[in-house]
Amino acid sequence: MNRSLARRYAPLAAIAVVQLLIIAVAPSKAPDTVSALGGVPHIEGEDGPTGIGAGAVGPGTADLDGDSVVDPGTVDLDGDGVADPAPAPGAGGGADGDGGGGTDGGGGGGDGDDGGPPAGDTSHCVGGRQFDPAIDFYAPPCTPKFQGNNGGATYPGVTGETINIVNYVGQGNAAVDAILRAQRAYVEPEQREAYNQTVANFINNTYELYGRKVVIKQFQGTCRTIPPDNACLRDEMRRVKTDLDPYFFFWNASLSSQTYDELSRLGVPNAGGWHFRDSFNAARRPFRWDVQMSGTAVAKHFGQLWCQQLKDHPTEFAGAGQPSDMNGQPRRLGVISTDDPENQKTVLVDLKEELAKCGTGFVATYFYKQDISTAQQQREAGVAAMRQGGATAVVCFCDLVAPTFLYLQEQQDNYYPENLVTGTGFMDADQASQAYDRGAACSANFGGSRPCAFLGAYGLSSINAQEPENKDAGSRVWSAGGGQGNPPFNAVQAQWDYINMIATLIQSAGPNLNPATMEAGAFKLGVRGGGDTNMMARGFGPGDHTWNSDMRVVYWSNKTISPRNGVNGTYIQIQGKRVMLGQYPKAKLSLPPMPR
């Protein structure tokens, strides 16, 4: 970087480099709190729960088969120290009998598709859903109005009248907060609190909670989160458990797998921690859940796209619209991520295995250390590793901010490979990617002569085509819950997605609410969306505790106006339908000529 440019943008560089160092695995929707600011810390004892004692499981849980995995249906509901048996088949499931659900919008049980119309009052339902899906396509399945005894305190955090949900807010970081403010993604605590209370009102009036109401409690953390102080966070989770008595906990961030490990050990259902591997979530069932797709699934999606549509065809889209000697060469893949063990395993195990299925692999990898004192050297070394390995295509399992300086370094080094996106870390949100071909990510916008490195980007996106600001589902729920005017902050959709998922899981459990019945009910919901609906597929199943399930093949167009904010720059979906694993067609990926 030349000195004048460095002086002009030094404050932004110091801020953004924090996230460049902490490239995390994460698929997507614009975040409303902390970005993907850290890899998943390694937990001793392989992928199983840890904490107090090797292979320890939490109070009121049991590992019946000795595999260090909390087995479903082993919750001690009555506090007698004995693990209670699994719920009977169908308990807590959909109201239509078997609770099964279809794909392509068929949804889960409860809509009368496969077991006849559900018994009881369903006059509140609309189109087989619990409320009008025009408010949110992912409204849960229609469930009859409950009458009878709900069993009272069926699990810690649950009474006959209430269900406690804790929304954790991590300690702020001035540098990161500045970036989030610039992206209109920063949320003041009082703004989040206002949104949570209005949404709780909506849920209590529309979801079937079997005589109970959700109470959302906001907790401001005091532990350092960037990088995470895991010992402090574990202790804080124990205090949250004691002081707030949560039934469900969520923290919308990618940070600190140890936080979620501790909560699972304590027997608290939890969500957040974007894109931990499937093995991490499965080892902590029935407590671990998330909205965002697992890192394992992301790696498989990308590997299948590469195998089916890219590897057998020469490099074609290098050069960011300019002539490049890489074009015409065999495609050679380079991969960038953080050096956290979980993120490394996503690349070195999950992605490697998927690529091996078609007889290929990657020629270069670079894993960043979370050490800001070596930031400049590392981003230079990362691009150097890609060049030295001969990569003609580079994929970054990134968050939404880190790529800013990766692409700037590529431009400064006159290195223009094909840049691929993977639907991770919310970098496939329009507002994030608009920054990649302008601003600090591209010195051409400040008098440089070389093109921006991101201009020819293409790949995968996990999010739906974005709706206009203040008109998305999170905003519609705000209004339906009694909120006045626009929501209190811009990026409400991600916050709503987490609360909607939690409320849907609670409804699916039936009146006997506990983690085991909740898991059993979740697996009966089926898949909502996908296929011809042009909405992302969402669903759970054995081995899959993350809600988002499919991708769309896209390219970046900086000539097309975004429906999100009316500014040039948006992702264009190609190849028709959204794609589930195993559905990528064998074909050569084609893109329109530049400029696009």
Side-chain angles (χ1 to χ4, degrees):
M1 181 184 292
N2 65 61
R3 290 189 176 183
S4 62
L5 187 63
R7 283 196 300 270
R8 185 174 180 183
Y9 295 100
L12 180 57
I15 293 169
V17 85
V18 173
Q19 296 201 3
L20 179 62
L21 283 172
I22 313 171
I23 297 170
V25 176
S28 17
K29 258 203 182 52
D32 65 318
T33 59
V34 181
S35 180
L37 295 172
V40 183
H42 178 63
I43 306 292
E44 294 182 1
E46 301 295 332
D47 290 317
T50 61
I52 302 175
V57 293
T61 63
D63 172 19
L64 299 180
D65 51 13
D67 62 357
S68 296
V69 176
V70 176
D71 296 300
T74 61
V75 178
D76 176 12
L77 300 178
D78 52 14
D80 63 359
V82 178
D84 296 300
D96 62 4
D98 66 12
T103 57
D104 296 353
D111 56 10
D113 291 345
D114 51 3
D121 180 10
T122 59
S123 60
H124 58 281
C125 296
V126 180
R129 315 308 292 180
Q130 189 67 9
F131 57 85
D132 190 347
I135 298 175
D136 189 339
F137 178 80
Y138 302 103
C142 173
T143 299
K145 186 172 179 59
F146 175 74
Q147 294 181 343
N149 185 347
N150 62 19
T154 58
Y155 196 78
V158 179
T159 72
E161 294 78 35
T162 60
I163 306 165
N164 290 338
I165 299 172
V166 171
N167 182 193
Y168 184 82
V169 180
Q171 186 187 63
N173 175 284
V176 174
D177 289 350
I179 285 184
L180 294 174
R181 285 190 172 94
Q183 296 180 336
R184 301 179 65 198
Y186 181 80
V187 185
E188 297 288 353
E190 57 271 20
Q191 293 176 315
R192 186 190 318 280
E193 178 71 14
Y195 187 77
N196 285 349
Q197 297 315 308
T198 298
V199 167
N201 182 59
F202 174 79
I203 290 170
N204 291 330
N205 288 329
T206 54
Y207 289 66
E208 183 50 67
L209 303 178
Y210 310 99
R212 303 181 178 101
K213 293 184 180 296
V214 299
V215 178
I216 303 178
K217 304 176 181 180
Q218 185 164 295
F219 182 88
Q220 177 64 60
T222 59
C223 298
R224 187 189 70 237
T225 57
I226 306 171
D229 182 345
N230 289 308
C232 180
L233 285 163
R234 279 189 179 274
D235 180 66
E236 192 156 65
M237 294 308 102
R238 291 189 283 269
R239 288 190 285 112
V240 167
K241 166 71 173 171
T242 300
D243 296 346
L244 298 181
D245 189 29
Y247 171 71
F248 212 115
F249 170 105
F250 75 104
W251 179 20
N252 187 6
S254 69
L255 303 168
S256 179
S257 62
Q258 294 199 35
T259 295
Y260 304 94
D261 176 71
E262 183 65 25
L263 289 160
S264 299
R265 192 192 66 82
L266 294 168
V268 178
N270 56 87
W274 308 335
H275 319 308
F276 297 165
R277 299 174 72 224
D278 282 340
S279 58
F280 181 91
N281 296 329
R284 289 156 183 82
R285 58 182 286 249
F287 306 111
R288 269 296 300 154
W289 304 89
D290 201 34
V291 172
Q292 311 306 331
M293 188 183 296
S294 73
T296 302
V298 173
K300 289 182 176 181
H301 272 279
F302 181 80
Q304 291 181 16
L305 175 71
W306 184 268
C307 286
Q308 293 293 96
Q309 302 189 16
L310 297 172
K311 85 161 185 87
D312 293 332
H313 307 283
T315 306
E316 184 177 358
F317 309 115
Q322 304 297 314
S324 172
D325 59 7
M326 293 187 203
N327 289 324
Q329 296 184 29
R331 277 196 172 98
R332 297 183 293 270
L333 179 64
V335 186
I336 295 177
S337 186
T338 172
D339 71 341
D340 179 88
E342 279 293 323
N343 293 131
Q344 289 196 55
K345 284 187 286 187
T346 295
V347 174
L348 298 177
V349 178
D350 297 334
L351 179 58
K352 184 177 181 179
E353 288 180 353
E354 197 63 38
L355 294 174
K357 293 177 182 178
C358 65
T360 189
F362 31 77
V363 298
T365 59
Y366 190 81
F367 300 101
Y368 281 92
K369 295 181 179 179
Q370 298 179 48
D371 180 2
I372 194 169
S373 68
T374 60
Q376 180 68 24
Q377 301 96 302
Q378 288 199 73
R379 67 185 182 94
E380 291 174 355
V383 172
M386 299 298 105
R387 298 191 74 158
Q388 292 167 8
T392 65
V394 173
V395 61
C396 184
F397 284 69
C398 289
D399 62 37
L400 76 171
V401 175
T404 299
F405 276 70
L406 170 64
Y407 298 135
L408 178 62
Q409 189 67 44
E410 288 183 348
Q411 182 193 27
Q412 291 171 343
D413 287 358
N414 200 28
Y415 175 57
Y416 288 95
E418 296 183 333
N419 279 308
L420 282 81
V421 294
T422 61
T424 64
F426 305 114
M427 65 176 291
D428 53 344
D430 286 356
Q431 284 178 266
S433 293
Q434 287 165 3
Y436 304 154
D437 66 11
R438 63 199 72 170
C442 181
S443 63
N445 291 303
F446 309 108
S449 59
R450 298 171 183 165
C452 302
F454 186 72
L455 291 181
Y458 68 96
L460 297 174
S461 171
S462 68
I463 64 176
N464 291 321
Q466 292 180 271
E467 296 181 280
E469 292 178 0
N470 300 318
K471 294 182 180 179
D472 53 17
S475 301
R476 294 191 292 270
V477 167
W478 163 262
S479 297
Q484 300 300 307
N486 291 331
F489 54 95
N490 178 56
V492 296
Q493 185 62 50
Q495 184 78 354
W496 164 242
D497 279 342
Y498 272 88
I499 297 173
N500 184 20
M501 182 194 75
I502 293 167
T504 298
L505 288 170
I506 290 170
Q507 176 176 299
S508 75
N512 182 22
L513 176 59
N514 63 69
T517 58
M518 189 170 69
E519 182 186 62
F523 289 174
K524 295 177 181 179
L525 289 171
V527 176
R528 174 74 167 162
D532 292 327
T533 69
N534 209 32
M535 300 290 287
M536 76 173 76
R538 282 179 161 170
F540 303 104
D544 180 9
H545 286 69
T546 58
W547 208 17
N548 296 348
S549 302
D550 65 356
M551 294 277 197
R552 55 188 183 131
V553 183
V554 298
Y555 67 85
W556 177 249
S557 170
N558 76 336
K559 301 299 183 183
T560 304
I561 294 176
S562 167
R564 178 67 178 172
N565 60 5
V567 175
N568 279 2
T570 190
Y571 284 96
I572 305 297
Q573 182 174 335
I574 57 177
Q575 300 185 5
K577 299 178 182 179
R578 296 180 64 92
V579 187
M580 297 286 281
L581 287 172
Q583 295 180 351
Y584 288 89
K586 186 73 173 178
K588 178 179 179 291
L589 187 145
S590 298
L591 299 176
M594 294 283 288
R596 319 193 249 274

